[in-house]
Amino acid sequence: MYTLPKIERFNQDVLSKYNIYNSVFITLPFDSIDNTGALLPLFTESCDAGFKKQETPKEIVDFFAKRYLQDATEEDKIDIMFRFIQYIERQIVLFDAIEDAAFLVINNMEGRGSLRDIKEKSDAKNKQEELIEFLEDFHVRTVLTAHPTQFYPGAVLGIINDLTIAIRNNDLLIIKQLLAQLGKTPFIQNEKPNPYDEAVSLIWYLENVFYQTSGEMVHYLQKNIFDGQSINNPIIQLGFWPGGDRDGNPFVTTEITFKVAERLRTSILKCYYIEIRKLKRKLTFSGVNNLINELEQKLYRSVFYSVGEIYITLSEFKAQLNKIKQIIIDQHQSLYLDDLDALLIKVNLFGFHFASLDIRQNSKIHDAVFNDVVDYYLKNNSTVFPENYFELSDEDKFQILSKTTGNLDPAVFENELTRLTIESIQAIKAIQGKNGEFGANRYIISNNESALNVMETFALFRLSNWEDPKVDIIPLFESVDDLQNAHTIMEKLYTNPAYAAHLTNRENKQTIMLGFSDGTKDGGYLMANWSIYKAKEELTAISRKYGIKVIFFDGRGGPPARGGGKTHKFYASLGPTIENNEIQVTVQGQTISSNFGTLDSCRYNLENLLSAGVTNQVFSKGENELSGDEKTILDQLAGVGYEKYLSFKNHPKFIPYLEQMSTLKYYAKTNIGSRPSKRSKSASLDFADLRAIPFVGSWSQLKQNVPGFFGVGTALKKFEENGQWDKVQDLYNSSLFFKTLLENSMMSLAKSFFPLTAYMQKDPEFGEFWQIIYDEFLETKRLLLKIAGHQTLMENYADGKASIEIRERIVLPLITIQQYALLRINELNKEAIVNDELIKIYEKIVMRSLFGNTNASRNSA
């Protein structure tokens, strides 16, 4: 029997099941459900027909109320809108669970990009030795961040997990019970979570998904590629930001950092304890059972006794396991050796840290902190800094910073930021003492603009009585200007004797982070992506020149506007001029739950990332290199797109449009994340302080997705008008990088729906501005279809396109309600007597619809 095409499998296992199980919703125990389930399809049809007739969201809602709600008052309309929102939120959960349940059927787990595919290709191409050599040094690091793009509370995530299993088993009775439970479970958190709450939520994924999946992947490689020989290299690594990311988050304290590190260690020891308990039932032989009992007792005490006490070290744990292994081999015919190897692999991957807790702070904060530190030394007549330090040039400061040492006490500083920053640096050393070096050994400097930013941070470590810190100091380059200057900044560091000595102690490895999110916000889609590509080339060249192995850490995730989309294709497309021996990428919000939320999806996506590295470095080594002419074309495209985006960003209505016509200000009022929606506390909106997530998310709520396409159409049109279309067409056909870039932009277009906001075209203040966006959308869509040779967007990803279409259909009533509420708020604010209570109700409608729309889109922010 042949396998059905992917789209047919999607229709059969996702669409059909959704239509069947959706009918169950009519019996859900919502408060005052009445005929909500019967009315919602009618409202959806009203929205669909209304937008085709170019009606406004207000006209659509009013028409529906007049036709289906007899003599409806404003209170009646509000009531039905809240019930629709409640209903749709649960429809989205159902669709998520059905897609997750069908993941194994829809996706070929043993096909292209899988570990099996890697094995078979290496055999076919006779590259087994080259593959082994590569895997002995390669890492995939997924870094879980606390960025608030997932609105499901923990209880709902648990229901989704159970619902997925029930749907996979076609257990209708359990499905009905879970849908009923879903109807009774609140979707909204009454209070903002603190960073520790966020950490606990994400550790669930570490314990229940990454632990098993990562271990199984390395076990497969060990058995099938390394012929049973132990792999000492931790191929899969995990990073963690909640509790350590202080950039713009005043709620991350030193106490929380320690609590998160403690929880990470306790969680991994608990995983080991559970696995040892299972092994104990199997390893009942003489000479082994007593050793297993001893490990069980020590792990139990380390997990469940007094907090912070550890009754076994990592080296002792490994030694005992290896001793057991040898006895099993020598005396017991290797019985259950496979099970023991599986545990040893996990211990090698996760140590006592589970995931490395990254510390991050902004360079502007460091500047203020460092000034405070210098002032302190000068006031105490110290010789650490010269009296004229603040008058010195950057060059002279650089030399002084190369030699500074000290023993700072955070308690002597009155300024809280100074105290907390120094405490965070000293916390790294303390965490390493209990969790091992990988517990916390990375310090990321956001908004890094100069070599001085890095040297100031390096000096703060050495001033904290840590002369040779076991820490990787990671500059994060985000803006277009900083990306262009990154290689000169790094050369200055590489040629500084003190920093060069530090790198020698770190195995001559330098990690550099590149920010897609803020890069796109700053320079637009094309310029951000091309600037990062060029920065990587230049950073690779300068690092190779000085014998430094550069590792790129990408701030990617969510939608294409933030570096998301087909991530594995991006990494497979990098040529030999970009160092790619490690893939490090941030994962947040919906991307965690949708790409790594189940064992199947986690395995699939981790294997694809690993395969991308193998493809680039082993199977296609030397390929995918852009020629000089191709780079010139990309330079021109990025330049034209950048000019278009800058003129748009500098438009006098840009900020007012976001403030008055989008959901931007409502992100700050949601209780989904601990971080504020902007970095500064100023009342007015400053574009530079605006975080990428609410920025991108607001465009997504409008169904305009500007950051994912604006400037692309204008850039392509330039080549079309100049009779040079064949150049971009050839580039698209030959370059996987360029093709992936444009395909991801197509995804942004596919998730756009301009009829929703077409009423703005007639707005006296914002009509012209809306038209600018719409014109660029139409031009980008026309030219992307032309270059791809398609009739419709994403037609080469039929299942992905179908998924987007269904999700957009589900949220159509939701976004209509949201726009209706925004329009009513604007109307009420213009009335002679402002009804504040009614405005608050409509604001609540905006926020509730914002939650559901974001969850449905999965990678929208």
Side-chain angles (χ1 to χ4, degrees):
M1 183 177 176
Y2 78 96
T3 303
L4 292 171
K6 208 170 183 182
I7 185 60
E8 290 187 36
R9 281 177 273 152
F10 178 87
N11 290 335
Q12 181 175 291
D13 287 88
V14 178
L15 183 57
S16 296
K17 283 189 176 182
Y18 174 72
N19 289 332
I20 292 167
Y21 293 136
N22 191 34
S23 63
V24 177
F25 268 100
I26 196 72
T27 63
L28 282 180
F30 296 142
D31 294 334
S32 308
I33 188 167
D34 297 327
N35 56 352
T36 307
L39 283 173
L40 183 55
L42 297 173
F43 182 56
T44 302
E45 289 302 321
S46 296
C47 294
D48 202 27
F51 287 126
K52 284 175 182 173
K53 291 187 287 186
Q54 298 183 324
E55 292 177 352
T56 70
K58 191 169 187 308
E59 288 170 337
I60 290 168
V61 172
D62 288 343
F63 168 80
F64 173 81
K66 185 176 180 181
R67 184 166 185 176
Y68 298 105
L69 305 176
Q70 202 167 18
D71 300 322
T73 63
E74 183 156 26
E75 190 176 306
D76 293 332
K77 286 194 226 175
I78 288 170
D79 179 61
I80 194 67
M81 283 190 283
F82 272 119
R83 282 193 276 138
F84 282 163
I85 290 169
Q86 187 184 33
Y87 204 93
I88 293 165
E89 283 174 335
R90 286 149 179 84
Q91 284 183 310
I92 294 162
V93 167
L94 175 62
F95 191 77
D96 281 347
I98 290 171
E99 271 207 316
D100 288 344
F103 195 92
L104 271 173
V105 178
I106 304 299
N107 297 282
N108 185 356
M109 302 294 286
E110 306 298 334
R112 183 183 299 172
S114 67
L115 295 187
R116 179 176 172 178
D117 181 49
I118 292 172
K119 161 71 175 163
E120 290 175 353
K121 277 182 181 173
S122 70
D123 290 345
K125 295 173 180 278
N126 197 28
K127 293 205 170 189
Q128 297 96 330
E129 288 185 13
E130 200 174 337
L131 176 61
I132 288 172
E133 185 182 351
F134 172 76
L135 291 173
E136 284 174 338
D137 192 42
F138 181 75
H139 303 111
V140 170
R141 182 189 290 252
T142 52
V143 180
L144 307 188
T145 78
H147 295 341
T149 60
Q150 174 66 69
F151 291 79
Y152 293 136
V156 175
L157 286 171
I159 294 170
I160 293 175
N161 188 60
D162 294 341
L163 192 55
T164 299
I165 295 167
I167 290 168
R168 189 173 290 158
N169 296 331
N170 288 314
D171 192 330
L172 186 58
L173 180 62
I174 298 295
I175 290 168
K176 287 186 73 173
Q177 287 180 336
L178 288 166
L179 290 177
Q181 180 188 351
L182 199 62
K184 294 286 190 181
T185 304
F187 269 51
I188 306 302
Q189 300 179 117
N190 292 325
E191 296 180 0
K192 274 183 178 288
N194 64 44
Y196 182 70
D197 297 329
E198 293 171 330
V200 170
S201 296
L202 291 190
I203 287 171
W204 184 93
Y205 292 99
L206 299 183
E207 292 177 344
N208 293 281
V209 183
F210 282 96
Y211 178 77
Q212 183 176 330
T213 304
S214 304
E216 287 175 352
M217 284 176 61
V218 177
H219 202 183
Y220 177 93
L221 294 172
Q222 190 166 294
K223 288 172 69 175
N224 295 284
I225 293 175
F226 283 75
D227 294 325
Q229 295 297 312
S230 296
I231 305 175
N232 295 318
N233 173 42
I235 296 172
I236 310 295
Q237 299 179 336
L238 302 175
F240 206 75
W241 277 17
D245 183 7
R246 296 167 179 265
D247 180 15
N249 193 338
F251 308 112
V252 177
T253 63
T254 310
E255 180 189 4
I256 281 179
T257 300
F258 280 126
K259 277 183 69 179
V260 172
E262 186 87 33
R263 182 62 179 256
L264 284 165
R265 187 184 70 251
T266 303
S267 293
I268 190 59
L269 291 179
K270 185 171 69 175
C271 290
Y272 296 154
Y273 170 73
I274 292 168
E275 202 149 350
I276 284 288
R277 294 260 307 173
K278 292 176 183 175
L279 273 171
K280 184 182 174 182
R281 294 176 64 87
K282 297 178 179 180
L283 303 181
T284 52
F285 337 127
S286 62
V288 171
N289 55 349
N290 60 319
L291 296 176
I292 284 286
N293 280 334
E294 186 182 338
L295 284 180
E296 181 195 13
Q297 290 169 13
K298 287 182 177 180
L299 286 172
Y300 180 84
R301 294 173 72 192
S302 300
V303 173
F304 299 109
Y305 274 32
S306 57
V307 176
E309 289 293 320
I310 308 167
Y311 295 89
I312 186 170
T313 66
L314 178 60
S315 59
E316 288 170 347
F317 187 35
K318 283 183 176 180
Q320 188 95 316
L321 289 174
N322 279 306
K323 185 177 180 181
I324 293 168
K325 179 177 179 177
Q326 199 58 50
I327 294 172
I328 290 172
I329 293 169
D330 294 343
Q331 301 177 26
H332 302 290
Q333 293 77 48
S334 298
L335 191 58
Y336 296 124
L337 181 61
D338 217 34
D339 300 77
L340 186 61
D341 272 341
L343 175 57
L344 274 164
I345 285 166
K346 289 165 188 164
V347 174
N348 187 48
L349 290 177
F350 306 124
F352 277 12
H353 63 280
F354 213 160
S356 297
L357 183 60
D358 290 351
I359 308 296
R360 185 172 78 132
Q361 186 53 282
N362 198 289
S363 67
K364 289 181 169 57
I365 299 296
H366 283 170
D367 287 341
V369 167
F370 207 79
N371 286 347
D372 209 6
V373 168
V374 174
D375 274 335
Y376 166 77
Y377 276 115
L378 293 180
K379 285 174 184 174
N380 286 277
N381 299 316
S382 168
T383 57
V384 174
F385 294 97
E387 291 184 10
N388 65 337
Y389 179 81
F390 292 117
E391 285 77 53
L392 296 176
S393 66
D394 282 0
E395 287 292 332
D396 291 335
K397 286 180 181 176
F398 208 76
Q399 295 308 312
I400 291 165
L401 294 175
S402 302
K403 301 169 186 174
T404 53
T405 56
N407 191 8
L408 279 174
D409 178 5
V412 303
F413 293 95
E414 293 180 10
N415 185 291
E416 187 181 28
L417 265 178
T418 302
R419 179 175 55 79
L420 287 174
T421 302
I422 296 169
E423 281 181 358
S424 69
I425 283 170
Q426 297 181 0
I428 293 176
K429 195 174 186 180
I431 291 167
Q432 287 188 9
K434 288 194 172 183
N435 293 21
E437 183 182 326
F438 291 105
N441 68 340
R442 290 152 52 102
Y443 195 102
I444 299 158
I445 309 165
S446 306
N447 192 39
N448 197 95
E449 297 176 330
S450 68
L452 197 62
N453 291 152
V454 178
M455 285 304 293
E456 284 178 348
T457 306
F458 181 51
L460 284 173
F461 276 94
R462 297 180 61 174
L463 287 167
S464 295
N465 197 27
W466 205 359
E467 194 163 337
D468 295 314
K470 294 180 179 179
V471 178
D472 295 323
I473 298 171
I474 304 173
L476 166 52
F477 300 107
E478 300 174 86
S479 71
V480 172
D481 287 344
D482 292 341
L483 287 165
Q484 290 173 349
N485 295 329
H487 65 290
T488 59
I489 289 171
M490 296 314 300
E491 183 171 29
K492 193 169 183 181
L493 291 166
Y494 293 158
T495 54
N496 176 265
Y499 195 79
H502 167 68
L503 288 180
T504 300
N505 291 335
R506 304 301 297 156
E507 300 178 338
N508 277 329
K509 292 181 179 180
Q510 172 67 57
T511 303
I512 298 172
M513 189 172 180
L514 302 152
F516 281 77
S517 303
D518 286 292
T520 305
K521 181 168 77 79
D522 180 54
Y525 183 73
L526 282 176
M527 180 57 84
N529 280 274
W530 182 231
S531 293
I532 288 170
Y533 188 98
K534 288 199 299 182
K536 283 187 173 184
E537 280 197 321
E538 292 168 331
L539 287 165
T540 298
I542 204 70
S543 299
R544 288 173 178 172
K545 176 181 175 182
Y546 291 100
I548 304 299
K549 184 179 176 182
V550 67
I551 299 159
F552 295 118
F553 176 23
D554 291 319
R556 305 176 68 91
R562 301 189 60 238
K566 302 290 181 183
T567 307
H568 60 281
K569 287 185 71 174
F570 166 83
Y571 285 111
S573 74
L574 301 178
T577 56
I578 292 177
E579 207 73 79
N580 196 30
N581 281 338
E582 291 195 22
I583 291 176
Q584 298 193 7
V585 60
T586 56
V587 193
Q588 72 271 319
Q590 306 109 312
T591 317
I592 297 174
S593 57
S594 62
N595 288 6
F596 302 95
T598 66
L599 293 170
D600 296 330
S601 62
C602 184
R603 177 192 150 195
Y604 181 83
N605 285 292
L606 278 180
E607 288 190 12
N608 265 273
L609 283 175
L610 181 61
S611 174
V614 173
T615 299
N616 187 267
Q617 297 291 321
V618 180
F619 300 142
S620 302
K621 195 169 186 177
E623 299 177 19
N624 295 320
E625 185 172 1
L626 293 168
S627 69
D629 288 342
E630 288 174 330
K631 288 179 181 179
T632 300
I633 294 166
L634 280 161
D635 270 332
Q636 292 169 352
L637 285 166
V640 174
Y642 185 48
E643 286 178 18
K644 179 70 174 178
Y645 180 76
L646 280 186
S647 67
F648 175 65
K649 191 174 76 170
N650 294 328
H651 194 288
K653 295 300 177 187
F654 186 90
I655 296 295
Y657 182 81
L658 282 174
E659 284 187 304
Q660 297 176 44
M661 307 302 278
S662 82
T663 58
L664 181 66
K665 62 186 176 186
Y666 296 97
Y667 274 85
K669 299 179 181 182
T670 59
N671 290 326
I672 53 152
S674 65
R675 297 200 314 171
S677 60
K678 57 193 182 82
R679 287 183 170 89
S680 74
K681 296 180 180 179
S682 62
S684 60
L685 180 61
D686 185 331
F687 183 81
D689 287 327
L690 182 60
R691 289 195 173 280
I693 287 170
F695 175 74
V696 172
S698 297
W699 290 112
S700 173
Q701 294 288 325
L702 285 167
K703 292 296 170 188
Q704 293 177 355
N705 290 320
V706 161
F709 73 81
F710 201 89
V712 175
T714 297
L716 291 172
K717 187 180 180 182
K718 185 87 169 177
F719 278 77
E720 184 185 53
E721 289 177 338
N722 292 345
Q724 297 182 314
W725 181 257
D726 59 317
K727 289 185 177 180
V728 289
Q729 186 67 65
D730 290 345
L731 181 61
Y732 179 85
N733 294 337
S734 63
S735 167
L736 183 59
F737 168 76
F738 187 56
K739 187 175 185 179
T740 302
L741 197 63
L742 295 193
E743 283 185 347
N744 282 341
S745 191
M746 284 188 208
M747 186 190 294
S748 295
L749 297 179
K751 291 185 176 184
S752 299
F753 182 65
F754 276 84
L756 175 71
T757 54
Y759 71 90
M760 295 181 188
Q761 194 173 14
K762 299 174 183 176
D763 188 275
E765 184 177 358
F766 297 109
E768 179 195 341
F769 188 77
W770 183 91
Q771 193 66 47
I772 291 170
I773 302 168
Y774 186 51
D775 288 345
E776 184 65 16
F777 167 82
L778 292 175
E779 201 66 346
T780 304
K781 181 179 178 181
R782 178 181 73 83
L783 291 168
L784 286 183
L785 291 175
K786 178 179 178 179
I787 204 167
H790 293 169
Q791 297 300 310
T792 58
L793 294 168
M794 292 183 67
E795 69 180 50
N796 55 330
Y797 297 105
D799 60 313
K801 178 185 176 185
S803 176
I804 289 171
E805 286 173 350
I806 296 167
R807 288 176 178 276
E808 294 301 314
R809 178 75 178 176
I810 292 171
V811 299
L812 182 63
L814 204 61
I815 58 177
T816 306
I817 289 169
Q818 183 183 92
Q819 283 297 314
Y820 176 85
L822 288 169
L823 283 164
R824 285 293 290 131
I825 290 167
N826 286 337
E827 285 178 351
L828 290 166
N829 277 321
K830 291 173 184 176
E831 289 182 356
I833 301 174
V834 177
N835 188 335
D836 290 328
E837 288 305 310
L838 192 54
I839 288 173
K840 284 179 183 176
I841 292 171
Y842 279 113
E843 286 183 336
K844 188 176 178 182
I845 288 176
V846 171
M847 283 185 282
R848 285 294 298 272
S849 58
L850 184 150
F851 296 165
N853 187 27
T854 300
N855 287 334
S857 299
R858 280 201 159 179
N859 70 344
S860 63

